[in-house]
Amino acid sequence: MNKFYLLLSLSFVFIATSCGNQSLEGEYKNTGEGCSSKFYCGVYDTVEFRGKNTAVIKGMGVVFATSYLRDGELITLKGDTRDLLFTVKDDKTLVGEGFAEGIYKKY
């Protein structure tokens, strides 16, 4: 009976940790889709997530590193004057708002 409870506890821990740890690691490229104007689709070409809280943003000839915070399906990247907001659509798709407007795909 003790083995049953031990296996049940270990199974619960495994499921809880694997569901809550969806990694953003990798580079997401702006596809040019999902924009409010056909002439403007965000100023950033790519967003690369490294580790648990570092992101590298590239666009308009500029590359800068910043930190990010994930709260469920929302990701906030810290900017110099304003933060950038992304929504996680699935494990390979982000949707950016404001200056980061557009759909970003992980390849």
Side-chain angles (χ1 to χ4, degrees):
M1 191 66 143
N2 286 338
K3 288 181 183 181
F4 172 75
Y5 287 117
L6 178 63
L7 287 174
L8 183 63
S9 298
L10 290 175
S11 297
F12 176 74
V13 169
F14 175 75
I15 291 170
T17 56
S18 65
C19 290
N21 190 17
Q22 298 171 350
S23 175
L24 292 171
E25 285 276 336
E27 187 174 73
Y28 295 78
K29 295 183 181 186
N30 190 336
T31 64
E33 300 171 350
C35 301
S36 57
S37 167
K38 66 179 181 178
F39 303 108
Y40 172 79
C41 197
V43 296
Y44 303 110
D45 300 321
T46 63
V47 177
E48 181 182 357
F49 294 94
R50 298 179 184 174
K52 293 183 180 182
N53 65 356
T54 302
V56 177
I57 302 171
K58 301 173 187 174
M60 294 178 30
V62 177
V63 177
F64 69 93
T66 187
S67 62
Y68 74 90
L69 175 65
R70 182 170 183 177
D71 182 13
E73 299 306 309
L74 297 177
I75 303 167
T76 304
L77 277 73
K78 295 295 180 186
D80 289 340
T81 58
R82 294 188 177 160
D83 295 343
L84 301 174
L85 182 64
F86 292 87
T87 303
V88 178
K89 285 299 188 191
D90 58 48
D91 62 340
K92 294 189 182 279
T93 309
L94 304 176
V95 178
E97 297 180 18
F99 288 116
E101 181 178 34
I103 296 174
Y104 294 73
K105 292 279 189 179
K106 183 178 183 180
Y107 295 98

